[in-house]
Amino acid sequence: MIPKTFSATCVDLSYEGKGVVKNGKDVYFVSAMFPGEEGEIAFDYSRNGAKFGKLVRLTKKSADRVDPKCKICSACGGCDFQQLAYPAQLEYKTKKVGEQFRKIAKMDVEVAPCIGMDDPYFYRNKIQMPFAKDNRGRWYCGFYKANTHVIVPVDTCYIEDERAKQILDAIKKLAPSFKIEPYLEDEGRGMLRHALIRTSKHLDGVMVVLVTYKEAFPSRNNFVKALVKECPFITTVVQNVNPRHTNVILGDFERVLYGPGFIEDMLCGIRFRISPKSFYQVNPVMTEKLYGEAIKAARLTGEETIFDAYSGIGTIGMVASKSCKNVIAVEIVEAAVKDAIQNAKRNGISNVRFYCDDASSFMVRMARNNQHVDVVFLDPPRKGSDERCLDAICKLKPNRIVYVSCDPSTLARDVKYLSKAYSLESVQPVDMFPFTMHVETVAMLRLKDSKK
Ligand code: SAH
């Protein structure tokens, strides 16, 4: 059946990076269609009341449309902007941040132009891919097609570290001869669920985490030996067992199969150890820029006590520790806190204290004890912080809050909440995730009536 189509002009890009078109009163969101473009659209699917369309024929092209490097970008759910020129991606991100402040915080703010990458390809240091077999028994791996559990086979991914491809190719090649089966989600059988690969940018660490459905892993040692022989640059291999029927990739149980079980990387001149479960920013080149912007926004003089909330393996606090008196850091994942403590020791940093706790509970206790803090760094996950934490900060009255956010909508919500006691001084987006609709932002807030 030929789908019914309608002609429309793209008027905007949505929060999710999709082209916005109108058909009568209906709004449709269309992947890889850019403002000013005209085309024939067919209904694709609807989700939570929103309609999504497919671009069937493009009749007028945007000057910002480019030929994608990646030939499977339309099928794969990984990138939103393979076909959008890089400067236009940056413009979109700058605008998106401003729009969130307008919509959610009802604030008109001046947003600095998004800082981009000189070379926005092959930037990711973390890759996680599921495996499957085609009907001829050949292994493939790839990304899930957007909103489905269908794996789109990926041969070369243009945003991932190039070493990952060699490792994935070796796994696909070796697995059949070791009688390893890919895990079949729908049937709940098979063995290998995902490979998670982490690479260091500035040191030679390469970690492979083999996520299996069950603990049993026949010919485990021989498989690892063969894998390392194929890819001698691998420095550690870990088995992670995830028996749950879930979208979460890693399970609880881990066994180190080769090497130390973690990798190390250098960031802003500090050596960091990274375990499989610890959070580590995925774009090492831009992380240095991001932290640079965060530290600059904090205007440290060397005298401050700073608080690093949602500290991961201690990166922001440790980078800031060189320019302040002392740092208190809090993070909820135990493995990350262990990494952080080791990281401080090995780098000879002694003015940072790490605590494993919920950031809000910890902050409430700090406020109750009237502890003195000059600057708070907040770097929460996508869902942002919460009112308990923000209320406690308002009681602690640090002079400055530097909020590092990977979601401008929760950033705007939290800034609005803080605006009873703080004024927003600067907003700087940083492009940590080229070719995707995501944007990282550093916002600095200053205590109202404070001179500093
Ligand atoms: N600042 C770090 C990590 C940022 S990611 C960096 O730049 O690398 C957000 C971190 O918040 C993750 O490490 C996550 O484990 C942690 N986290 C999530 N919920 C938390 C909570 N309620 N309390 C403290 N930390 C939390």
Side-chain angles (χ1 to χ4, degrees):
M1 197 179 80
I2 302 166
K4 229 173 96 188
T5 62
F6 60 91
S7 308
T9 304
C10 176
V11 291
D12 202 359
L13 278 173
S14 72
Y15 188 73
E16 255 95 42
K18 298 201 188 310
V20 180
V21 303
K22 283 189 186 146
N23 184 26
K25 268 195 247 136
D26 292 337
V27 173
Y28 283 72
F29 298 100
V30 184
S31 292
M33 189 174 188
F34 308 117
E37 293 195 326
E38 293 170 11
E40 296 284 312
I41 316 289
F43 172 81
D44 194 8
Y45 62 95
S46 58
R47 189 164 34 100
N48 302 333
K51 291 192 177 67
F52 294 83
K54 235 187 340 214
L55 183 60
V56 181
R57 199 163 66 90
L58 188 64
T59 49
K60 187 178 161 202
K61 262 191 199 181
S62 158
D64 292 325
R65 179 176 284 270
V66 293
D67 275 341
K69 268 199 192 204
C70 175
K71 299 303 168 214
I72 59 152
C73 64
S74 305
C76 166
C79 291
D80 309 288
F81 294 143
Q82 278 285 335
Q83 298 172 77
L84 186 63
Y86 192 52
Q89 294 180 34
L90 296 176
E91 264 171 46
Y92 160 76
K93 294 184 185 191
T94 308
K95 188 171 155 224
K96 169 168 162 161
V97 173
E99 262 171 22
Q100 292 311 301
F101 274 103
R102 249 189 315 281
K103 271 191 196 153
I104 296 169
K106 310 280 178 251
M107 290 166 77
D108 241 329
V109 302
E110 199 181 312
V111 180
C114 184
I115 302 173
M117 289 187 86
D118 295 337
D119 175 11
Y121 293 99
F122 302 112
Y123 62 85
R124 278 187 72 97
N125 60 11
K126 179 180 166 190
I127 289 94
Q128 34 202 20
M129 280 208 188
F131 293 96
K133 271 201 303 196
D134 65 16
N135 44 22
R136 290 160 69 185
R138 285 174 309 199
W139 276 63
Y140 63 95
C141 60
F143 293 114
Y144 292 115
K145 190 177 158 79
N147 307 312
T148 73
H149 276 218
V150 177
I151 300 170
V152 178
V154 173
D155 182 44
T156 301
C157 174
Y158 290 89
I159 64 170
E160 295 187 346
D161 187 295
E162 287 165 292
R163 287 169 289 185
K165 172 177 160 54
Q166 290 181 55
I167 297 170
L168 294 165
D169 285 348
I171 295 174
K172 288 185 279 188
K173 184 179 121 185
L174 294 170
S177 50
F178 286 88
K179 306 255 176 315
I180 295 172
E181 289 293 325
Y183 170 67
L184 297 170
E185 200 176 22
D186 295 339
E187 297 167 35
R189 64 184 172 84
M191 195 197 110
L192 191 58
R193 293 179 75 128
H194 279 86
L196 184 155
I197 298 164
R198 263 182 163 165
T199 48
S200 342
K201 174 81 187 162
H202 298 292
L203 297 173
D204 57 6
V206 176
M207 170 195 285
V208 182
V209 182
L210 300 168
V211 186
T212 61
Y213 179 43
K214 298 231 166 86
E215 199 201 326
F217 186 158
S219 56
R220 175 165 36 215
N221 293 340
N222 289 336
F223 178 72
V224 170
K225 244 188 229 158
L227 182 61
V228 174
K229 196 161 168 227
E230 285 280 323
C231 306
F233 51 86
I234 293 174
T235 56
T236 191
V237 182
V238 177
Q239 179 189 0
N240 175 284
V241 184
N242 187 355
R244 282 173 301 205
H245 298 271
T246 156
N247 289 341
V248 178
I249 291 180
L250 293 180
D252 295 331
F253 180 76
E254 255 174 36
R255 174 189 280 129
V256 178
L257 304 180
Y258 174 77
F262 57 84
I263 56 167
E264 290 185 301
D265 202 5
M266 294 292 289
L267 202 61
C268 304
I270 300 175
R271 202 178 175 102
F272 288 101
R273 154 186 147 156
I274 309 142
S275 297
K277 284 195 193 126
S278 298
F279 177 89
Y280 188 60
Q281 297 282 0
V282 297
N283 184 335
V285 171
M286 294 311 277
T287 302
E288 291 201 332
K289 294 236 160 97
L290 177 77
Y291 291 171
E293 288 300 316
I295 305 286
K296 193 169 82 189
R299 295 191 208 139
L300 301 174
T301 62
E303 294 303 313
E304 293 85 358
T305 293
I306 72 174
F307 189 90
D308 177 10
Y310 311 92
S311 55
I313 57 171
T315 42
I316 295 180
M318 281 168 60
V319 174
S321 71
K322 297 174 179 172
S323 324
C324 68
K325 197 155 97 199
N326 51 18
V327 183
I328 304 160
V330 66
E331 156 66 43
I332 206 161
V333 172
E334 207 182 317
V337 177
K338 278 193 183 147
D339 282 348
I341 292 169
Q342 285 300 321
N343 287 333
K345 252 191 211 152
R346 288 148 66 108
N347 286 283
I349 295 175
S350 54
N351 59 342
V352 188
R353 288 260 167 285
F354 297 99
Y355 298 90
C356 185
D357 203 343
D358 165 58
S360 309
S361 308
F362 194 90
M363 203 70 92
V364 167
R365 273 203 310 279
M366 295 244 311
R368 208 177 288 144
N369 297 338
N370 273 327
Q371 247 160 296
H372 175 79
V373 177
D374 298 293
V375 179
V376 171
F377 286 88
L378 282 174
D379 185 10
R382 217 165 271 171
K383 68 172 195 250
S385 191
D386 59 27
E387 293 186 1
R388 271 177 76 222
C389 184
L390 301 178
D391 278 335
I393 294 178
C394 292
K395 284 198 188 114
L396 277 170
K397 293 196 172 51
N399 261 307
R400 289 177 292 287
I401 302 169
V402 179
Y403 196 133
V404 179
S405 156
C406 57
D407 187 333
S409 64
T410 54
L411 170 68
R413 181 200 66 200
D414 291 349
V415 166
K416 181 179 182 202
Y417 194 79
L418 286 167
S419 64
K420 56 185 174 183
Y422 285 84
S423 51
L424 183 60
E425 297 274 299
S426 62
V427 181
Q428 176 64 66
V430 178
D431 193 18
M432 295 286 278
F433 317 104
F435 299 106
T436 77
M437 55 90 172
H438 295 288
V439 58
E440 193 85 14
T441 311
V442 178
M444 198 276 262
L445 299 104
R446 197 168 48 86
L447 186 64
K448 285 183 183 166
D449 308 323
S450 131
K451 302 264 172 316
K452 288 193 196 169

